Amino acid sequence: MTRYLAPAALLPAGWTDDVLLEVDDHGWIRSAAAVATERHAAVRLPGPVVPGVVNGHSHAFQRGLAGGAELRSPGGDTFWGWREALYRFLDRLGPDEMEAVAVQLYTELLEQGYTRVVEFHYLHHDPRGVRYADPMEMSHRLAAAAAAAGIGLTLLPVLYQAGDFGGARPAPGQLRFLNDCDGYLGLLDGVSALGGEARGSVQAGIAFHSLRAVPPSAMDEVMRAAPPDLPVHIHAAEQPREVRDCQAWSGLRPVEWLLHHQPVDRRWSLVHCTHMRPHEVGGLASTGATVVVCPSTEGNLGDGLFALEAFLDAEGSLAIGSDSHVSTSPVEELRWLEYGQRLATGRRAVAASDRHPSPGRRLLEAVGAGGAAAAGVEVGALAPGHQADWVVLDPSHPVLAGRRNDGWLDAWVFSGNQSPIREVWTRGRRVVAEGRHPHRDAHARAFRRVMSQLMK
């Protein structure tokens, strides 16, 4: 058991001074409570401590495309044009390249305060759609990248079978993603075994790419055969065209279809949900399922705005992700989650309430609980039974100067672009010190070498 003393910490009950955190040798918090500081020998943490943030939706390889698909095409740009640029990028991406890109991404995420990433992984095969000699090749590369960076990983192999609703033939650019149900369940078993070998740093989960990419019969087959305790993720209601096509196919909108045809509950996470009607918002919130919103990507792709206020009022479970990684900062996701609502409503502090007057704190606590559900791991809180994942803020940083408690959180989220993070810890190990990852430069060199080849 190792003891850490925080001058202040955000516990589930609220801000508390002089908190002793006891962490076992496997990286789990055994106790977290206020103490008389002079009575305990402990490692003193150099600032206020808050729970680490879960990145609830990531496609790691897309970090290599970020900023590289912004030129306007002659007919104008939409999500669907961006998708074609993505497929062209994937023609050049192999296992070595993906690992280097993922290590760079995970290093950046840690420095910004993410302590676990939920990897929605559908890049299974080579550019021609041929299986690697080891079907787990790409999964192993992602696990290796997470281990090299020191970030916690929830790895979701993704089932992808069709090009559109109704089982349409996949496009050439989608061949890398495809698996039949047996092949998919083999991947899921492999990731689950990998999680056992990694002693809690890797958690397995189920992912269906979307209703347009997974026929209902395949979804049902996987749900019957897969372990009943794994988290389940799916993209849903991201684009108006997707909603229209789903209605033409089934008579229902995507979220409606899932609520009618799948056992959506607290295991489930629906990603984006930027096009829901009020009855879908309330119905989804009532199931306990988590919505993973990705505001920087949703803004970049023109997806639309999530109905944040209505979902929070319905006590819905919320998480954030950086998806395509046009941003790698949880602050930017939270800031634009709130700012989008301000622009749409003409009001400020939309995420706040009479019970939660600080929008920064309400959002961080919401995505702490929702992130844990999305990740399938007890994280997101400084409490016994949770992994020892936390962020140490620097109270002397200009962004936080003169602030305290919730003021630290509101300033972190809503004040400037300089990071006031001093340290980041995952599973009881310090992986960022003085704002820097110890292997930042080496990871960046490998990333630059790969990108110089990919962008030729």
Side-chain angles (χ1 to χ4, degrees):
M1 193 81 69
T2 305
R3 292 174 168 179
Y4 302 91
L5 184 64
L10 182 58
L11 302 182
W15 283 102
T16 306
D17 289 339
D18 300 324
V19 171
L20 187 71
L21 299 161
E22 293 187 316
V23 178
D24 69 20
D25 293 342
H26 300 290
W28 295 90
I29 296 173
R30 293 307 177 194
S31 67
V35 296
T37 59
E38 69 274 7
R39 296 182 184 174
H40 293 272
V43 177
R44 292 180 179 265
L45 299 170
V49 177
V50 297
V53 182
V54 171
N55 187 321
H57 190 68
S58 165
H59 308 297
F61 67 87
Q62 291 185 25
R63 173 64 183 85
L65 185 64
E70 299 300 322
L71 293 177
R72 178 172 176 160
S73 57
D77 269 341
T78 66
F79 167 89
W80 307 100
W82 170 86
R83 190 176 71 162
E84 293 305 314
L86 172 68
Y87 294 163
R88 291 192 295 272
F89 173 74
L90 290 181
D91 285 342
R92 304 186 293 276
L93 194 76
D96 291 342
E97 291 81 10
M98 190 176 77
E99 184 173 345
V101 171
V103 171
Q104 174 65 21
L105 168 69
Y106 296 159
T107 300
E108 294 177 16
L109 296 182
L110 284 166
E111 288 188 341
Q112 296 294 327
Y114 287 117
T115 50
R116 175 169 285 268
V117 61
V118 180
E119 190 61 47
F120 196 96
H121 166 49
Y122 57 85
L123 194 62
H124 301 303
H125 312 308
D126 78 8
R128 299 167 297 163
V130 176
R131 289 191 178 192
Y132 293 106
D134 177 1
M136 284 279 293
E137 176 71 30
M138 290 299 217
S139 298
H140 285 308
R141 296 306 187 105
L142 289 166
I151 198 167
L153 175 67
T154 296
L155 185 53
L156 311 173
V158 174
L159 182 62
Y160 200 121
Q161 293 187 339
D164 213 332
F165 292 99
R169 185 181 182 87
Q174 298 167 333
L175 297 179
R176 301 193 71 172
F177 315 153
L178 306 180
N179 276 296
D180 60 21
C181 289
D182 286 342
Y184 176 76
L185 290 167
L187 279 176
L188 188 60
D189 286 344
V191 172
S192 297
L194 184 67
E197 295 166 5
R199 298 180 182 177
S201 63
V202 179
Q203 165 69 41
I206 301 163
F208 305 113
H209 182 272
S210 55
L211 290 180
R212 67 176 184 269
V214 183
S217 59
M219 195 176 296
D220 292 342
E221 182 175 345
V222 167
M223 290 299 292
R224 286 194 301 268
D229 57 345
L230 296 181
V232 182
H233 287 235
I234 187 170
H235 292 125
E238 180 179 3
Q239 279 281 320
R241 182 175 123 183
E242 172 199 347
V243 174
R244 291 194 300 269
D245 289 351
C246 188
Q247 288 176 304
W249 164 66
S250 69
L252 297 171
R253 299 163 64 85
V255 173
E256 286 178 326
W257 191 95
L258 288 166
L259 292 175
H260 279 80
H261 294 283
Q262 288 297 324
V264 177
D265 58 15
R266 294 181 184 277
R267 292 175 61 196
W268 283 70
S269 290
L270 278 62
V271 183
H272 300 306
C273 295
T274 43
H275 296 281
M276 290 194 295
R277 289 181 175 164
H279 70 280
E280 294 174 285
V281 173
L284 184 56
S286 71
T287 67
T290 297
V291 173
V292 186
V293 289
C294 309
S296 64
T297 290
E298 290 152 6
N300 184 269
L301 299 179
D303 287 339
L305 291 174
F306 175 67
L308 175 67
E309 186 173 23
F311 193 68
L312 289 178
D313 287 348
E315 299 186 356
S317 175
L318 185 73
I320 55 168
S322 58
D323 194 354
S324 68
H325 310 299
V326 291
S327 171
T328 56
S329 167
V331 165
E332 189 162 8
E333 304 303 334
L334 295 172
R335 183 180 297 171
W336 278 105
L337 181 58
E338 167 71 21
Y339 282 1
Q341 308 302 310
R342 295 184 185 189
L343 290 168
T345 65
R347 294 185 286 110
R348 301 183 71 246
V350 176
S353 67
D354 291 342
R355 191 157 58 100
H356 305 281
S358 160
R361 177 169 168 184
R362 189 183 190 194
L363 288 172
L364 282 163
E365 289 188 328
V367 303
V377 179
E378 291 296 329
V379 290
L382 301 176
H386 288 66
Q387 283 195 337
D389 294 358
W390 63 66
V391 172
V392 182
L393 300 174
D394 180 359
S396 67
H397 193 284
V399 166
L400 304 185
R403 314 291 183 182
R404 180 152 178 84
N405 295 348
D406 288 355
W408 286 322
L409 303 182
D410 284 336
W412 182 25
V413 175
F414 298 110
S415 176
N417 294 313
Q418 296 182 51
S419 174
I421 291 173
R422 178 173 283 177
E423 295 181 352
V424 177
W425 294 66
T426 62
R427 302 183 303 284
R429 296 184 299 114
R430 186 172 64 184
V431 292
V432 170
E434 299 302 325
R436 289 180 59 92
H437 192 283
H439 305 301
R440 174 204 279 187
D441 294 341
H443 295 167
R445 283 194 298 272
F447 178 71
R448 286 194 295 269
R449 284 195 300 271
V450 163
M451 290 302 296
S452 67
Q453 296 300 314
L454 290 174
M455 294 294 103
K456 280 185 177 178

